[in-house]
Amino acid sequence: MIDSAPPYRGRFAPSPTGPLHFGSLVAAVGSFLEARTRGGAWLLRIEDVDAPRCSAAAAADILRTLEACGFSWDGEVVRQSRRTEAYAAALERLKFGGRVFSCACTRKELADSAIAPDGASIYPGTCRQGLAAGRSARAWRLRVGDARAGFDDAIQGRVDSDLSLDAGDFILLRADGLFAYQLAVVVDDADAGITHVVRGADLLTSTARQIFLQQCLGLPTPCYAHLPVAVNAAGEKLSKQTRAAAVDASQPGPALFAALEFLGQQPPPELSGASPGELWTWATRHWRLERVPRGPLCPAPGSGIIVP
Ligand code: GLU
């Protein structure tokens, strides 16, 4: 029998809002090992579409840390900040198909809107049938109508979403002229031929929106696996905002070991002082996605991970 599935292409897509911390390292390790142990490519994309929150210095620092950790990626690093034309072309296609509408609402005007499960506000539909007289367009939104989207996540199981309740008509082009993450990620994954997305479960609620957007644009839907998100003692996701410590590029072994443990791989204790090279040799032989703990949140190991 001929296997017609396209060859595995995975990716890691950090946002350069700060240095690489343990939470992002977990996503890098999981996506890398899943791709490599399935004989696949692993691509790197710097998600700097939200320019005001990102910096070139943070992007350079992330790349340096990934190299120090012994990651190797295929092809050129893609940067969202250089892909505006591709996002604009996708929006034009959606305009042509009548899938989007321009929106004049300000943040203040939307302050009383219903709140989606992920804390974002659900658009009340004010401009859906056209702009009121005298109002001018600030943003572009995707019409979700009564769409539903679902997928079988390789770690978290079945996820189903009613987009009108879980997201509402979401923004594709922001009032500040920047394209939204949801559009950028869908266009980027499709252009890179990504077949498998392995990333943090903080994005689980975004996936239905992305699948719907793929359908609107006639793009293929990759397979998804959402890794548990590392949280601190207060139950907060490790991030720049929660002051997660950067991975130490001069001594990345302990963080890599901790990431493998966090992902349920049970590296042998004698490897706890090992170099990245030794850890990768062990990990590429022993990686099993089915050992990754289910559940979207897991406590991060070691008190040293959080800056006090
Ligand atoms: N840029 C996102 C982050 O750093 C990841 C997006 C994705 O993997 O789709 O959290």
Side-chain angles (χ1 to χ4, degrees), residues 210-264:
Q210 292 170 17
I211 291 174
F212 178 60
L213 200 39
Q214 287 153 4
Q215 290 166 351
C216 292
L217 286 162
L219 300 173
T221 291
C223 300
Y224 289 96
H226 286 86
L227 304 166
V229 168
V231 293
N232 63 21
E236 301 160 330
K237 177 191 160 191
L238 300 191
S239 68
K240 190 180 163 194
Q241 287 72 29
T242 57
R243 300 193 298 143
V247 172
D248 181 354
S250 69
Q251 214 206 342
L256 276 177
F257 184 88
L260 289 168
E261 274 196 319
F262 179 84
L263 288 168

Side-chain angles (χ1 to χ4, degrees), residues 116-131:
D118 68 356
S121 61
I122 296 187
Y123 186 65
T126 323
C127 304
R128 200 180 286 140
Q129 309 307 334
L131 296 180

